[in-house]
């Protein structure tokens, strides 16, 4: 293994260890020591690769964003898709097994909480929100005027985020996530039935 690949592997291991530590201890009780214990590496390597705990937390959040982005891209690359199919794929990408996993859900929830106090995380949260809204706006925009598409995108984004959070906090998250995905898709289907291609409510 080359030195560059070895570095990438260690960085990935530390990111996964961070998620495991957050799932077990919570963000506030996650330390360089708990992360290094999960990774089976010395604590000094975290500072070497990430500059400290906060740098590693930021990298972990970016990893989750990348997983979300790749899940969507893999679905959208399946050939010619209708606008309806594109919109449903966006929902699917937000409810993959990766995004449903305990380490991911604990990390996302901790990230949202901490983003209210940490400027870097707050910026990442805004980027993530804009990405979701933009993807939905594009999908709806293939069927209706831009102003209507943006309005429906805002509603759908709120629906996805709300159902995801409710599912993550549910006593039975896996069942709740499955139901949430169905309900979010049904919400989109209802919007497309309600609004014609000109974006006006059907009479």
């Amino acid at each position: 293994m080359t030195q560059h690949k070895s570095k990438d592997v260690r960085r990935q291991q530390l990111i996964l260890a961070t998620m495991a530590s957050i799932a077990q201890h919570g963000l506030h009780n996650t330390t360089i020591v708990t992360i290094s214990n999960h990774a089976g590496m010395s604590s000094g390597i975290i500072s070497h690769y990430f500059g400290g705990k906060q740098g590693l937390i930021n990298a972990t959040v970016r990893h989750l964003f990348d997983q979300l982005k790749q899940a969507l891209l893999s679905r959208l690359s399946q050939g010619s898709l209708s606008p309806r199919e594109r919109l449903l794929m966006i929902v699917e990408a937000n409810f993959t097994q990766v995004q449903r996993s305990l380490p991911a859900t604990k990390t996302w929830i901790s990230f949202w909480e901490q983003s209210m106090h940490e400027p870097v995380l707050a910026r990442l949260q805004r980027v993530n929100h804009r990405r979701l809204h933009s993807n939905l706006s594009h999908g709806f925009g293939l069927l209706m005027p831009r102003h209507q598409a943006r309005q429906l995108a805002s509603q759908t984004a709120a629906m996805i985020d709300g159902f995801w959070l409710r599912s993550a906090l549910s006593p039975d998250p896996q069942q709740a996530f499955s139901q949430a995905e169905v309900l979010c898709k049904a919400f989109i289907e209802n919007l497309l039935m309600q609004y014609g291609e000109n974006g006006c409510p059907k009479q």
Side-chain angles (χ1 to χ4, degrees):
M1 183 180 295
T2 66
Q3 183 177 359
H4 180 72
K5 289 183 178 179
S6 177
K7 178 180 179 179
D8 288 343
V9 169
R10 289 195 182 97
R11 287 174 61 90
Q12 183 70 8
Q13 289 173 335
L14 288 168
I15 286 171
L16 295 178
T18 302
M19 293 172 63
S21 178
I22 292 173
Q24 181 176 351
H25 305 290
L27 179 59
H28 294 296
N29 292 323
T30 285
T31 65
I32 289 179
V33 173
T34 63
I35 295 170
S36 61
N37 286 342
H38 276 282
M41 301 180 191
S42 66
S43 56
I45 201 169
I46 294 177
S47 296
H48 175 70
Y49 285 141
F50 299 97
K53 174 186 169 182
Q54 192 58 51
L56 180 50
I57 295 296
N58 295 346
T60 301
V61 172
R62 290 190 179 94
H63 167 76
L64 287 175
F65 288 168
D66 187 60
Q67 291 292 308
L68 193 58
K69 178 181 177 181
Q70 293 304 318
L72 179 58
L73 290 177
S74 67
R75 285 163 171 76
L76 297 183
S77 65
Q78 295 176 10
S80 180
L81 299 173
S82 67
R84 170 187 169 277
E85 289 171 329
R86 290 182 63 91
L87 289 165
L88 297 182
M89 293 279 185
I90 295 172
V91 173
E92 288 184 11
N94 281 270
F95 289 96
T96 62
Q97 286 301 319
V98 172
Q99 300 299 332
R100 299 182 187 194
S101 69
L102 182 61
T105 57
K106 293 287 188 180
T107 302
W108 273 119
I109 292 172
S110 297
F111 157 65
W112 285 333
E113 176 190 7
Q114 192 63 22
S115 67
M116 294 186 290
H117 310 286
E118 173 60 43
V120 174
L121 295 182
R123 181 180 61 81
L124 291 174
Q125 169 62 4
R126 290 193 295 271
V127 169
N128 186 51
H129 174 76
R130 286 197 297 266
R131 179 184 296 170
L132 175 59
H133 189 272
S134 176
N135 286 330
L136 291 166
S137 292
H138 176 71
F140 283 116
L142 296 172
L143 298 171
M144 59 191 66
R146 179 178 298 179
H147 73 279
Q148 186 68 61
R150 296 183 67 179
Q151 179 181 342
L152 298 187
S154 294
Q155 295 177 25
T156 306
M159 184 71 65
I160 291 172
D161 286 343
F163 269 117
W164 189 95
L165 180 59
R166 177 176 291 185
S167 300
L169 299 175
S170 168
D172 187 357
Q174 290 307 311
Q175 180 180 359
F177 275 125
S178 295
Q179 293 175 344
E181 181 177 345
V182 171
L183 290 171
C184 287
K185 286 183 175 181
F187 180 75
I188 290 174
E189 298 278 18
N190 288 336
L191 288 177
L192 296 182
M193 289 177 62
Q194 181 180 356
Y195 292 88
E197 293 188 3
N198 61 1
C200 297
K202 294 182 178 179
Q203 300 299 321

